[in-house]
Amino acid sequence: QVQLVESGGGLVQAGGSLRLSCAAPGRTFNSYARGWFRQAPGKEREFVAVVSGGGGSAYYADSLKGRFTISRDNAKNTVYLQMNSLKPEDTAVYYCAAALRNWALRGADEYPYWGQGTQVTVSS
């Protein structure tokens, strides 16, 4: 199994910013779409964003666009999620995921590979 490792989570005050990273061990997924999801306690897993294999296209959950930005650096086998203007409702475990095609959308079943998650807590 390919191991994806998220980092960058932590505690931040409302209005602050965090940048999450998700590293793959090699170049396996550089040509494939990468996504971010999140799951709050007691809630269903929620789509956040996806970036295409080449990094040229991205799609965001409607409620998050304008605050979050997904990007990737294939030279580092890494995808990022820049999170700005954070709100307490953004508190969740954030997961990165990898598809096995150039483009994927919001369904979790589009992403066969997942990281273990990183906790983001936004205080009021």
Side-chain angles (χ1 to χ4, degrees):
Q1 179 185 143
V2 175
Q3 300 295 316
L4 304 177
V5 181
E6 301 96 335
S7 62
L11 176 64
V12 64
Q13 290 186 308
S17 298
L18 286 173
R19 188 180 73 160
L20 307 183
S21 300
C22 180
R27 301 172 63 184
T28 304
F29 298 112
N30 282 351
S31 63
Y32 298 130
R34 300 285 296 277
W36 285 96
F37 291 76
R38 67 185 185 183
Q39 187 166 18
K43 301 294 181 65
E44 297 296 318
R45 185 164 46 187
E46 177 187 17
F47 171 79
V48 173
V50 60
V51 62
S52 63
S57 298
Y59 180 77
Y60 301 88
D62 288 343
S63 62
L64 302 177
K65 60 185 178 182
R67 295 195 297 121
F68 289 10
T69 303
I70 189 170
S71 62
R72 67 193 302 161
D73 184 349
N74 282 343
K76 298 180 180 179
N77 309 317
T78 299
V79 64
Y80 304 96
L81 184 69
Q82 179 67 45
M83 309 166 66
N84 297 327
S85 301
L86 284 163
K87 305 174 181 179
E89 66 191 65
D90 296 319
T91 295
V93 177
Y94 284 71
Y95 298 92
C96 71
L100 288 175
R101 61 185 185 184
N102 175 261
W103 183 246
L105 292 177
R106 61 200 307 121
D109 59 355
E110 295 288 317
Y111 303 88
Y113 297 98
W114 296 80
Q116 295 299 116
T118 185
Q119 177 71 48
V120 172
T121 302
V122 184
S123 65
S124 59

